[in-house]
Amino acid sequence: MAHRGASARVPENTIAAFQAAVEEGADVVELDVRLTEDAIPVVFHDPDVTSTTDGTGYVHQLTLAEVKRLDASPGERERHEVPTLAEALEAIRGVGVNLEIKNLPGEPDFDSPREATLEAAVGILREVRFDGPVLVSSFNWLTIERARELAPEIRTGFLTIAPIDPWAALVYVRSRGHDFVLPQSPALLGAGADFVREARSEGVRVGTWVVDDADTLSMLYSWGIDAVATNDPRLAVSVRDAQ
Ligand code: G3P
Ligand code: MG
């Protein structure tokens, strides 16, 4: 699963990063979704645009036209636009997508339980008739619970950061019928192969993020993990195929 596209080599969350991920053999592209002021879902990681573009301001306070004027790869020779979700989905036809819906308490665009970003993203998936596998993931359980109501055909995954015990996340995921438990890699590595075995025996799939080194990738694949988000899909594919 290519984390923000092939982001080790190409500016993250851009069409070029997604195309490179597909070329490098990724099965799934992970991308982050936020809403512009005029309610268009765009692919962007941070709530504000300062650290990865040449502009300033919060995504949710910029119109799509303003977001489109930003350079998402400042300092690089080639300019890259911030893609809309619709543009990103067109670029990755043929592989799967992991839509990470950003809606985090403490961030200025947080809107649970309204879930406007999720609703708009599901609308776009339907509008463009995306026909690859889809996972909707979030650190926010309200978001993925709303996804199950809104689009029961779409798989959902619960992301957790390293301090959260993966076993507790698994209890939650099982109780709400989500498809994936997605602990950050240090937590999953601590929980070990037994965690992957146990989750899978209960019908829950396991993914983790973000792993870019060959030895760890190799160990995770030997545990039978279902998905690994990596910035370097070329490396991950070669390690997986050598197993
Ligand atoms: O897919 C998991 C990962 O993308 C979550 O963290 O901050 O890279 O979006 P972040
Ligand atoms: Mg993400």
Side-chain angles (χ1 to χ4, degrees), residues 70-148:
L70 300 171
D71 183 354
S73 54
E76 304 261 326
R77 278 220 329 252
E78 197 186 339
R79 181 182 179 279
H80 293 269
E81 274 185 7
V82 174
T84 63
L85 176 58
E87 289 165 346
L89 292 173
E90 290 298 347
I92 61 166
R93 277 201 194 273
V95 303
V97 68
N98 173 3
L99 297 181
E100 189 196 338
I101 307 293
K102 291 292 190 193
N103 193 16
L104 298 171
E107 293 192 345
D109 53 355
F110 176 64
D111 82 340
S112 290
R114 167 73 187 81
E115 307 300 342
T117 306
L118 169 77
E119 279 187 21
V122 169
I124 295 292
L125 278 172
R126 289 175 175 160
E127 200 178 295
V128 304
R129 294 191 159 80
F130 189 77
D131 54 5
V134 178
L135 176 69
V136 166
S137 64
S138 188
F139 291 103
N140 182 338
W141 59 86
L142 294 170
T143 304
I144 52 175
E145 289 183 14
R146 180 78 184 113
R148 292 194 65 79

Side-chain angles (χ1 to χ4, degrees), residues 4-243:
R4 311 181 197 175
S7 56
R9 271 179 279 281
V10 184
E12 67 177 46
N13 281 332
T14 62
I15 295 295
F18 303 145
Q19 286 169 339
V22 174
E23 280 160 21
E24 293 178 15
D27 296 309
V28 174
V29 169
E30 186 268 356
L31 48 83
D32 305 296
V33 186
R34 292 187 184 270
L35 222 47
T36 62
E37 187 181 42
D38 41 352
I40 308 298
V42 291
V43 180
F44 206 85
H45 182 269
D46 292 356
D48 87 62
V49 302
T50 313
S51 52
T52 55
T53 77
D54 56 351
T56 55
Y58 290 116
V59 176
H60 74 293
Q61 293 176 341
L62 298 172
T63 62
L64 179 63
E66 289 168 330
V67 167
K68 281 294 184 184
R69 283 199 283 275
L70 300 171
D71 183 354
S73 54
E76 304 261 326
R77 278 220 329 252
E78 197 186 339
R79 181 182 179 279
H80 293 269
E81 274 185 7
V82 174
T84 63
L85 176 58
E87 289 165 346
L89 292 173
E90 290 298 347
I92 61 166
R93 277 201 194 273
V95 303
V97 68
N98 173 3
L99 297 181
E100 189 196 338
I101 307 293
K102 291 292 190 193
N103 193 16
L104 298 171
E107 293 192 345
D109 53 355
F110 176 64
D111 82 340
S112 290
R114 167 73 187 81
E115 307 300 342
T117 306
L118 169 77
E119 279 187 21
V122 169
I124 295 292
L125 278 172
R126 289 175 175 160
E127 200 178 295
V128 304
R129 294 191 159 80
F130 189 77
D131 54 5
V134 178
L135 176 69
V136 166
S137 64
S138 188
F139 291 103
N140 182 338
W141 59 86
L142 294 170
T143 304
I144 52 175
E145 289 183 14
R146 180 78 184 113
R148 292 194 65 79
E149 287 171 5
L150 205 62
E153 74 281 6
I154 294 177
R155 277 173 281 208
T156 47
F158 184 45
L159 287 162
T160 52
I161 54 173
I164 306 290
D165 183 350
W167 292 100
L170 177 59
V171 169
Y172 165 71
V173 161
R174 215 176 34 214
S175 73
R176 306 304 292 194
H178 299 301
D179 301 277
F180 271 83
V181 63
L182 301 165
Q184 193 173 9
S185 58
L188 181 66
L189 293 168
D194 283 353
F195 178 82
V196 176
R197 212 171 9 252
E198 177 69 22
R200 299 191 88 251
S201 77
E202 294 175 9
V204 174
R205 299 207 222 174
V206 182
T208 195
W209 51 281
V210 172
V211 182
D212 290 338
D213 80 273
D215 290 345
T216 309
L217 285 162
S218 176
M219 184 169 70
L220 289 167
Y221 289 131
S222 77
W223 291 359
I225 195 163
D226 297 285
V228 185
T230 180
N231 298 314
D232 192 349
R234 186 188 295 161
L235 172 72
V237 168
S238 74
V239 170
R240 183 202 59 194
D241 292 351
Q243 292 285 115

